[in-house]
Amino acid sequence: DAGVIQSPRHEVTEMGQEVTLRCKPISGHNSLFWYRQTMMRGLELLIYFNNNVPIDDSGMPEDRFSAKMPNASFSTLKIQPSEPRDSAVYFCASSLGGLGTFGSGTRLTVV
Amino acid sequence: EDQVTQSPEALRLQEGESSSLNCSYTVSGLRGLFWYRQDPGKGPEFLFTLYSAGEEKEKERLKATLTKKESFLHITAPKPEDSATYLCAVQSSNTGKLIFGQGTTLQVKP
């Protein structure tokens, strides 16, 4: 099993640009989580899906952030427009009823 | 408010020097407390789950314990490969959410 696959691993973009982060969960897992990690705030849950349906998006910081899960094998986290304070490592995790296996993350830098 | 505080922020040990990491928490109904290990450039890797006060779990040189207010991760005779950031998280039985602490970065020198 390849684990949770995130792309890209690194993204550098200019303020105001749209950024899309991608996640392929582990096959068979029915829950998917998006987290953000920063030095200041640590690891924070942004949104999670169960059976492709968003269950709790209360952690999404602003309307600039949106997440979709069109099918069981793919999810995206979009930031539009991006701002420097969005710079962080974004993790995706998937699970089958448990806590989740994390991907290696996408390091986003907004300049 | 649900909260998790880990201490110390950073810990340097000599190989073989045992120590403990602390995780203090307040949560509206504890469903579980979890320890993760995170290596640089990687996502957190699950280590232990503890559900009730008095519970203990062990894995190689690591042992996790739980009380009603805090958890300890004891590291016995650590090796350089134990160097990592250790994260503690609690899951609220009210919201189901995982709340993470800021982590303790452990460095073990040979």
Side-chain angles (χ1 to χ4, degrees), chain A residues 35-91:
Chain A
Y35 289 88
R36 177 173 68 176
Q37 188 173 40
T38 61
M39 291 292 289
M40 290 290 292
R41 300 175 66 90
L43 200 60
E44 303 172 285
L45 177 65
L46 300 177
I47 185 171
Y48 79 90
F49 295 83
N50 196 45
N51 294 322
N52 311 339
V53 176
I55 302 300
D56 185 349
D57 65 354
S58 59
M60 297 285 264
E62 299 173 33
D63 291 344
R64 298 184 295 107
F65 286 69
S66 63
K68 293 183 179 179
M69 192 164 185
N71 56 62
S73 59
F74 184 65
S75 177
T76 59
L77 178 68
K78 186 178 293 186
I79 308 172
Q80 165 64 20
S82 58
E83 297 182 3
R85 60 194 168 114
D86 301 330
S87 298
V89 180
Y90 291 81
F91 288 103

Side-chain angles (χ1 to χ4, degrees), chain B residues 17 19-21 38-40 65 70 79 93 95 100 104-105 110:
Chain B
E17 180 187 0
S19 188
S20 296
L21 281 54
Q38 187 174 20
D39 291 297
T65 62
E70 58 191 350
K79 298 182 178 181
S93 57
T95 65
F100 281 85
T104 294
T105 298

